[in-house]
Amino acid sequence: MSTCNDDPQLFAQMMAAVERVASSGAFTLGEEVEAFEAEFAAYNETTHCIGVSSGTEALVLALRALQIGPGDEVIVPTNSFIATAEAVSLVGARPRLVDVDSASGCLTAEIVERNLDPRVACVIPVHLYGRTVDMDPLLAVCRAAGVPVVEDTCQAHGARYHGQRVGTLGDIGCFSFYPTKNLGAWGDGGAVVTANPELAERIAMLRCHGEGSQRNRHEIVGTTARLHALQAAVLRVKLRCLEGWNDDRRRVGAALSSALAGCDRIQTPAPTAPGEDHVFHLYVVTTRDRDLLRAQLAERGIASAIHYPTPIHLTAAYAHLEIARGSLPVSERLAGAIVSLPMFPGMSELEVQRVAHAMRELADAAEQAA
């Protein structure tokens, strides 16, 4: 797999940025973090960005800023990484785990509307794998009910929905900069974006022990959730490449879908509707022959993965919610059939064809054996 470290010029720029921070000794907040926050806010065409220590903390602090806590419920798709639900639990609220659309794997307005009641204090749509949620109808439902929306944008950096960056459509957008993300740091990191100055101020205080504008003046109970200056420096360099990397991911996604077209035993990602986007953090197909295909791909030296093998409601961590197997059937079916294929910027046509040829060959063999 190709990484940004394979580009000597880019690697040198990141090392120079790290050296700049190390020479200054300013590792906690400071100019480097402030510069990244300004640049990431501008990139997302919004007014406020607060750098934090991880995508999970971004979600936690967003919920705390909205004063979500004990007694509240938050609608979360069960077809997501567990961090989406964990953030709800960590603020003392209860995740209301719901099913997803069978084509997109994401929340829809209809699903949210069916699950709204007075206990629901927030909704977290997840732009899963880099695909944008159909936000306009979902936002209309939530606004009519007076329920805030926190976008989990941890897998969709730079995607647009009808021309607007995701993460800026709801009340707050949350990002992860885990190294494998479309915009990844050299360790954990995250950010919150919002156009609401009061929410931005509260999140900035929460990430740093509740300090306001004055040092050692603690106005609320906060935590330690600051973005490290070294990570901010690396992210500033990589942010300049994000648009090009996303364009290349779209190219690779289209090439894989084209090469796999007509293979009956493999379902490629559903096409996006007009105005929607997919920046392919992951390229995920579904197949009834997953375990066999994965084993035989491995024999050919082709990596694959499963994102995610267990819907959140069926994990041991959330057994206490007592959501029975079969209750959220779309997510359960997807969890048994999804496969993530190789996807990275710079993936060559030859590499695309190698993956597609292997998948088609193995699917044909499975068809004959069935």
Side-chain angles (χ1 to χ4, degrees), residues 75 108-116 123 134-149:
I75 290 176
T108 65
E110 291 77 14
I111 294 169
V112 169
E113 191 165 30
R114 286 200 303 270
N115 286 278
L116 278 176
V123 174
D134 188 7
M135 290 294 293
D136 282 346
L138 186 151
L139 288 169
V141 166
C142 292
R143 285 168 180 158
V147 174
V149 173

Side-chain angles (χ1 to χ4, degrees), residues 28-29 33-34 37 48-53 57-58 60-66 172 190-194 196-215 217-227:
T28 304
L29 298 181
V33 173
E34 291 171 4
E37 289 173 336
H48 301 284
C49 169
I50 306 94
V52 298
S53 55
E57 283 294 342
V60 168
L61 297 184
L63 292 170
R64 287 194 64 187
L66 291 167
I172 302 175
V192 177
V193 299
T194 182
N196 184 311
E198 289 80 16
L199 289 175
E201 182 180 14
R202 186 169 177 83
I203 291 165
M205 292 171 62
L206 285 166
R207 72 170 174 183
C208 193
H209 301 293
E211 283 187 341
S213 57
Q214 296 184 37
R215 178 76 171 164
R217 182 171 178 176
H218 307 281
E219 300 182 21
I220 56 176
V221 176
T223 186
T224 303
R226 300 175 291 248
L227 178 64

Side-chain angles (χ1 to χ4, degrees), residues 265 287-294 337 339 362-363 366-367 370:
R265 297 181 80 88
T287 175
R288 71 192 83 169
D289 309 302
R290 180 175 73 190
D291 294 342
L292 174 63
L293 291 179
R294 289 198 70 211
V339 182
L362 295 172
E367 182 73 42

Side-chain angles (χ1 to χ4, degrees), residues 89-114:
S89 299
L90 288 168
V91 301
R94 180 184 178 93
R96 179 172 294 193
L97 297 169
V98 301
D99 216 346
V100 294
D101 174 65
S102 60
S104 69
C106 297
L107 278 186
T108 65
E110 291 77 14
I111 294 169
V112 169
E113 191 165 30
R114 286 200 303 270

Side-chain angles (χ1 to χ4, degrees), residues 44 101 103-109 125-139 151-169 175 182 246 250 269-282:
N44 285 289
D101 174 65
S104 69
C106 297
L107 278 186
T108 65
V126 180
H127 301 288
L128 193 67
Y129 307 147
R131 175 188 293 277
T132 54
V133 174
D134 188 7
M135 290 294 293
D136 282 346
L138 186 151
L139 288 169
E151 293 177 76
D152 183 336
T153 324
C154 292
Q155 299 184 3
H157 314 66
R160 289 188 181 273
Y161 175 82
H162 293 283
Q164 188 172 344
R165 297 282 192 199
V166 294
T168 67
L169 300 154
F175 293 85
N182 290 32
N246 280 347
R250 294 185 187 100
T272 53
E276 297 180 14
D277 196 3
H278 199 324
V279 291
F280 289 100
H281 168 58
L282 297 169

Side-chain angles (χ1 to χ4, degrees), residues 349-364:
E349 182 62 27
L350 182 62
E351 290 169 321
V352 168
Q353 292 302 323
R354 180 178 170 229
V355 172
H357 176 74
M359 288 293 288
R360 295 181 69 94
E361 183 179 64
L362 295 172
D364 289 345

